[in-house]
Amino acid sequence: MEERFLATMIQCYFIALGVVIGGAFIGSIGAFATGEPPMTMMGRIAKSLRIWAIVAAIGGTFDAISNFERGILEGSTLDMIKQIIIIITAMGGVQTALLVIEWLIQEEID
């Protein structure tokens, strides 16, 4: 069971990373096509994709809510702790993606 949890953590990290980097790159192509500065738009798009990358990485909000419900109502704190760790892992993937994009565009994303 621990091996599966570790695999889930790794997948969540890279899904969040991929959503932000992929979305920002593809979105910057659209910005270029419409005559806007692609590097500046890449930073803006990455900033707006942060929460959606976390939601996509954890598989939607319903699973997270049901795990929290199970943890609170049924006393299964281990499920709740695992879900929190998965969310933190996804947040790490988002932060890594933002760092990579900041390096690429040479601007700070706040």
Side-chain angles (χ1 to χ4, degrees):
M1 177 123 150
E2 293 302 319
E3 292 176 11
R4 182 71 187 134
F5 178 68
L6 183 61
T8 302
M9 282 178 48
I10 293 169
Q11 288 173 354
C12 284
Y13 177 85
F14 283 104
I15 289 170
L17 181 101
V19 167
V20 174
I21 290 178
F25 283 155
I26 300 299
S28 69
I29 293 171
F32 177 75
T34 59
E36 297 181 27
M39 294 296 195
T40 304
M41 284 303 294
M42 190 181 295
R44 290 181 190 162
I45 293 167
K47 182 179 176 185
S48 67
L49 285 177
R50 289 185 298 192
I51 189 68
W52 297 111
I54 295 169
V55 171
I58 64 173
T61 57
F62 185 73
D63 292 337
I65 291 172
S66 66
N67 283 340
F68 282 123
E69 179 185 19
R70 189 175 331 136
I72 293 171
L73 298 179
E74 296 177 11
S76 177
T77 56
L78 186 61
D79 289 336
M80 194 164 70
I81 291 171
K82 283 183 178 181
Q83 195 65 38
I84 290 170
I85 291 171
I86 287 173
I87 291 171
I88 290 171
T89 303
M91 291 170 72
V94 168
Q95 291 293 33
T96 304
L98 290 176
L99 184 64
V100 168
I101 291 173
E102 282 180 356
W103 286 343
L104 179 69
I105 65 174
Q106 296 295 307
E107 291 179 14
E108 185 175 328
I109 301 173
D110 48 338

